[in-house]
Amino acid sequence: MGPLDLHTAMVLSMCCHFQLTSAWTVNNFLMTGPKAFLTYASSVQVGAQCGIQECKHQFAWEKWNCPESTLQLSTHNGLRSATRETSFVHAISAAGVMYTLTKNCSMGDFDNCGCDDSRIGQTGGKGWIWGGCSDNVALGEKISKQFVDALEDGHDSRAAVNLHNNEAGRLAIKATMRRACKCHGVSGSCSIQTCWMQLADFRDVGNYLKMKHGHAKKLEMDKKPARAGNTADNRGAIAHTFRSIARTELIYLEDSPDYCVKNQSLGLQGTEGRECLKGDKSRSQWERKSCRRLCYECGLRVVQKRIEVVSSCNCKFHWCCTVKCEKCTQVVTKYYCARKEGGRKQHNKAKRRLRARQQ
Ligand SMILES: *[C@@H]1O[C@H](CO)[C@@H](O)[C@H](O)[C@H]1NC(C)=O
Ligand SMILES: *[C@@H]1O[C@H](CO)[C@@H](O)[C@H](O)[C@H]1NC(C)=O
């Protein structure tokens, strides 16, 4: 394994395997959930944060780049919009929770669940039989439903849309699962294989849901909030509208706001101060156009900064099993969106004029 591979491996292993400090609604869960839920609460937290981290990766070079935590999804936060982007947050969070719990299950972290051995020994197809440890998604799915769906306590169309997107996220876990096999037979002849179903990398789940985000459908329906007494009617109307939509597709109700501008009441940061990428042919087209997308399209300019970056380098693998790295300092040029000078000057001039008039 070369130093680069090692570094990549270290970075990749971070998702879904890290400690988190965010206090994501644990308290909610601890207060409302049955005692048994305590067992799963920390995994749920890790999973939700893992979803947000993946969201940040997927939207790194877009105007909107994900909330800091799922806290912002909370019903009690006032951020109850159902846009194309919140549909993604719901899906990836529900998926992250299901994913983490499923991993926990396979690793034997919980007493009451383990690998899915229901088909072991059965013939799966030509030349292979079921064996090994198939990831068992049933528990993760159930717990994800109980924890994540519980955040939707309304009976209005927004709640229904959010629940639909949570479900689409969980289905993404199943849709991206892959069969993995191992060869058997005389001296590796591979005359017979044992196979099992395993979760894809969470990155693949992210890619899959990003594609669904691109194809998300806007739902046209009566957006009146549920009034007391007519929740049954409401549910009926919602169910009718939903009948035509596949469970795997993301849906939304409202057009996206302008992500260029900061809007505190919507919890949006705007793109001022965001980093963008320039030059470098090795980057994707999408990345190379990030300055245009984040800065120019938002009426901002690009400023250049020289920044000293300290990183691990020359990593060596020592048998067995430590990785020793050196610290390397490098000066790199980074680009950021900044307000136009003219804009600010005009702004100041206007302020001065106002002050002069007041005196
Ligand atoms: C489940 O997995 C996550 C991430 O790998 C880990 O942080 C958590 O402690 C695990 N839960 C249990 C109960 O072991
Ligand atoms: C923030 O968004 C709300 C809702 O769309 C809008 O009414 C308000 O004018 C926006 N504020 C700013 C500063 O753009």
Side-chain angles (χ1 to χ4, degrees):
M1 203 186 264
L4 186 67
D5 295 339
L6 201 58
H7 182 69
T8 313
M10 276 156 44
V11 170
L12 286 179
S13 69
M14 273 163 61
C15 192
C16 288
H17 296 280
F18 62 95
Q19 297 294 320
L20 100 157
T21 49
S22 142
W24 184 59
T25 45
V26 198
N27 292 334
N28 282 356
F29 292 140
L30 299 192
M31 282 186 294
T32 59
K35 234 181 190 163
F37 274 22
L38 281 171
T39 322
Y40 307 117
S42 73
S43 299
V44 169
Q45 252 197 97
V46 171
Q49 202 57 34
C50 185
I52 293 296
Q53 190 186 319
E54 181 56 26
C55 182
K56 291 230 169 263
H57 171 85
Q58 294 290 340
F59 288 86
W61 308 113
E62 305 206 24
K63 292 189 183 84
W64 175 82
N65 72 339
C66 311
E68 287 312 311
S69 79
T70 37
L71 197 59
Q72 293 190 6
L73 281 184
S74 165
T75 323
H76 313 288
N77 199 281
L79 289 171
R80 289 274 295 147
S81 56
T83 61
R84 186 188 283 267
E85 284 66 42
T86 53
S87 79
F88 183 87
V89 179
H90 275 97
I92 199 82
S93 305
V97 169
M98 174 165 161
Y99 190 95
T100 304
L101 282 152
T102 304
K103 281 272 185 205
N104 283 131
C105 189
S106 294
M107 312 244 301
D109 291 342
F110 303 133
D111 298 338
N112 60 341
C113 94
C115 307
D116 173 8
D117 55 11
S118 58
R119 290 176 290 191
I120 289 215
Q122 290 176 20
T123 302
K126 194 162 181 278
W128 66 275
I129 56 169
W130 288 101
C133 173
S134 285
D135 281 318
N136 185 355
V137 294
L139 181 91
E141 187 175 21
K142 189 175 121 197
I143 303 299
S144 170
K145 269 183 197 163
Q146 290 179 359
F147 275 84
V148 184
D149 290 4
L151 295 172
E152 303 302 327
D153 48 13
H155 295 299
D156 56 356
S157 48
R158 276 182 189 183
V161 163
N162 293 342
L163 290 172
H164 172 100
N165 291 325
N166 290 350
E167 184 62 16
R170 286 188 289 265
L171 288 173
I173 298 290
K174 291 187 188 170
T176 51
M177 284 182 88
R178 295 278 168 267
R179 197 168 77 216
C181 297
K182 192 174 146 189
C183 279
H184 304 275
V186 207
S187 59
S189 66
C190 210
S191 55
I192 187 82
Q193 296 185 66
T194 50
C195 303
W196 59 93
M197 291 300 283
Q198 68 181 26
L199 295 175
D201 278 346
F202 198 62
R203 177 57 29 86
D204 296 337
V205 179
N207 293 342
Y208 177 92
L209 284 174
K210 179 77 189 294
M211 182 200 54
K212 295 291 183 193
H213 166 267
H215 298 155
K217 288 191 182 66
K218 185 175 178 185
L219 214 60
E220 300 293 346
M221 60 195 282
D222 188 8
K223 273 169 250 169
K224 268 183 294 195
R227 270 165 288 143
N230 73 345
T231 49
D233 289 356
N234 239 306
R235 282 193 200 145
I238 291 166
H240 181 77
T241 313
F242 276 44
R243 208 163 293 154
S244 59
I245 299 157
R247 289 160 68 223
T248 47
E249 303 309 309
L250 297 184
I251 55 174
Y252 62 98
L253 290 172
E254 288 135 81
D255 291 326
S256 304
D258 182 358
Y259 291 120
C260 288
V261 289
K262 188 182 174 100
N263 187 327
Q264 226 130 25
S265 66
L266 294 176
L268 300 175
Q269 293 306 308
T271 60
E272 188 182 341
R274 284 278 299 280
E275 190 192 344
C276 64
L277 301 172
K278 269 197 165 186
D280 200 341
K281 289 275 191 306
S282 70
R283 298 191 195 283
S284 71
Q285 181 90 336
W286 186 247
E287 289 173 331
R288 273 187 280 144
K289 288 194 172 152
S290 60
C291 288
R292 186 166 92 191
R293 190 162 48 243
L294 298 181
C295 311
Y296 299 136
E297 284 179 12
C298 289
L300 300 168
R301 70 194 171 108
V302 176
V303 292
Q304 187 174 320
K305 286 184 190 160
R306 305 278 286 165
I307 287 176
E308 214 169 73
V309 181
V310 182
S311 59
S312 299
C313 59
N314 303 327
C315 295
K316 288 206 179 73
F317 181 71
H318 292 269
W319 193 264
C320 181
C321 297
T322 55
V323 179
K324 292 218 172 102
C325 299
E326 290 171 26
K327 291 242 179 296
C328 296
T329 308
Q330 223 183 337
V331 176
V332 296
T333 305
K334 293 197 172 214
Y335 302 90
Y336 298 90
C337 300
R339 213 174 294 175
K340 279 189 179 145
E341 258 160 22
R344 182 162 283 162
K345 251 186 246 155
Q346 269 170 13
H347 186 67
N348 289 342
K349 224 188 275 169
K351 258 200 257 172
R352 268 200 300 275
R353 228 180 293 136
L354 188 68
R355 228 178 291 137
R357 230 180 292 151
Q358 281 167 344
Q359 278 166 1

